Amino acid sequence: MKHLAIEQLRSFVLVADCESFTTAADLLGTTQSAISLRVRKLEQTMERRLLARTPRAVSLTPEGARFLASARQVLEAHDRAVATFDAGTQTTTLRAAIGDHAAGALLESAFGRLSQVFPELLLEVSVGLSAEMQARYDAGKADFAVVRMDISRRQGIPLYRDQLVWCARSPDVWRSSAALPLLALPGSCTVRLAAERALDGSNTAWRLAFTGGSVTALQSAASAGLGVAAIGQSQVPADCVILNRSHGLPDLPASRITLLTRLSNPLRGAIAAAFAADASDRRRE
């Protein structure tokens, strides 16, 4: 009978979710070589190659994709059992600052995962523009923040990449001969600023057609055919299509969802795993 080591499973799941050995090492407070060794030992135990590695990317093999859900269930059961005695009856309150464009759509499922592992955890949650949520964290008003950052920035722990894209109900919403009807959050939104820079840089005429208070509002406006939204690829509504250069629109910058926190493990790893896992599941749908 095969015996699975918990830290090998944890390393494999984090690498799979974050698509990075480096990020998994940062979250677990160890080295990239240690993570690589744990995954290799797990693969030897399972007698299967679970991850495909290239100099630029890490991805699941078909065997790894089949194994991931079971590995996650084992980890969640293990962490719940440990938390029963680690947490006792003591309640811990954490202040969370969540960028709506970063992880607003993941709140229910991510916090559900956290509560399974730490049932005594209380969360005080603020949701808003990523820049505002980062400022809240920097000012010491939040214990952790999950925000969207330009891919060139090196601050925080990168959870996963989420390419910004243009989306609309159909390409017919905009003809290149007219000003593009832009759907956006308020003016200080970093995604909106990136969209405006891309449009101005390509000499694409545009007009503000809708200003929403949340990403959910932008999704509804896009689905209603009110215009074109710049949004994370994982957040594109099912009834919308992605527009690109073939439709006359410029490329948008790559971005990543980043965890900012001074918390130590196991909370830091559990928070990262909760958001990265749900985003990973969405990317594979």
Side-chain angles (χ1 to χ4, degrees), residues 1-45:
M1 177 182 292
K2 296 180 173 66
H3 296 279
L4 301 176
I6 290 297
E7 287 313 306
Q8 292 175 13
L9 283 176
R10 195 180 307 281
S11 297
F12 162 69
V13 169
L14 278 176
V15 172
D17 287 340
C18 300
E19 299 178 347
S20 168
F21 281 88
T22 301
T23 299
D26 289 342
L27 290 170
L28 294 177
T30 187
T31 63
Q32 183 175 340
S33 59
I35 296 297
S36 181
L37 179 60
R38 291 175 189 174
V39 172
R40 189 160 60 248
K41 286 183 176 180
L42 178 62
E43 290 177 321
Q44 291 171 353
T45 299

Side-chain angles (χ1 to χ4, degrees), residues 2-283:
K2 296 180 173 66
H3 296 279
L4 301 176
I6 290 297
E7 287 313 306
Q8 292 175 13
L9 283 176
R10 195 180 307 281
S11 297
F12 162 69
V13 169
L14 278 176
V15 172
D17 287 340
C18 300
E19 299 178 347
S20 168
F21 281 88
T22 301
T23 299
D26 289 342
L27 290 170
L28 294 177
T30 187
T31 63
Q32 183 175 340
S33 59
I35 296 297
S36 181
L37 179 60
R38 291 175 189 174
V39 172
R40 189 160 60 248
K41 286 183 176 180
L42 178 62
E43 290 177 321
Q44 291 171 353
T45 299
M46 300 305 297
E47 300 178 344
R48 298 287 189 280
R49 190 180 184 196
L50 304 175
L51 293 171
R53 308 156 175 85
T54 70
R56 292 181 175 272
V58 180
S59 61
L60 287 165
T61 64
E63 291 83 0
R66 284 180 15 226
F67 182 64
L68 181 61
S70 297
R72 206 189 302 283
Q73 290 171 359
V74 172
L75 279 181
E76 290 174 351
H78 169 273
D79 290 346
R80 280 197 302 271
V82 172
T84 300
F85 297 103
D86 279 357
T89 58
Q90 184 177 359
T91 297
T92 301
T93 300
L94 289 183
R95 301 164 298 167
I98 308 298
D100 196 16
H101 253 305
L106 301 178
L107 288 185
E108 180 179 356
S109 51
F111 288 154
R113 287 184 184 274
L114 271 179
S115 66
Q116 288 179 358
V117 180
F118 296 99
E120 302 299 326
L121 191 65
L122 292 180
L123 291 164
E124 296 178 359
V125 183
S126 299
V127 179
L129 304 180
S130 283
E132 294 174 354
M133 296 300 99
Q134 183 173 347
R136 189 174 184 83
Y137 171 79
D138 291 340
K141 297 179 180 179
D143 298 301
F144 72 92
V146 179
V147 296
R148 184 181 291 273
M149 285 187 176
D150 185 275
I151 201 72
S152 63
R153 299 183 64 177
R154 295 290 178 258
Q155 185 178 358
I157 299 171
L159 297 181
Y160 58 92
R161 290 180 64 139
D162 187 24
Q163 175 66 45
L164 291 175
V165 297
W166 304 102
C167 81
R169 186 177 65 184
S170 77
D172 296 335
V173 167
W174 171 66
R175 297 296 184 186
S176 57
S177 58
L180 180 135
L182 181 64
L183 315 175
L185 295 188
S188 58
C189 172
T190 54
V191 173
R192 172 176 171 170
L193 295 176
E196 292 178 358
R197 283 195 296 269
L199 293 170
D200 292 341
S202 63
N203 294 317
T204 302
W206 62 275
R207 62 180 177 84
L208 189 61
F210 177 91
T211 301
S214 68
V215 171
T216 300
L218 294 187
Q219 292 170 323
S220 297
S223 295
L226 300 184
V228 179
I231 202 169
Q233 189 165 357
S234 66
Q235 297 171 323
V236 174
D239 56 359
C240 287
V241 297
I242 293 176
L243 308 183
N244 51 39
R245 285 190 175 189
S246 67
H247 302 100
L249 286 170
D251 293 334
L252 286 166
S255 63
R256 66 183 182 188
I257 309 306
T258 300
L259 171 66
L260 305 173
T261 187
R262 302 178 189 89
L263 296 169
S264 58
N265 282 320
L267 275 174
R268 180 181 64 185
I271 291 166
F275 283 95
D278 284 290
S280 174
D281 291 343
R282 285 172 179 245
R283 293 197 300 273

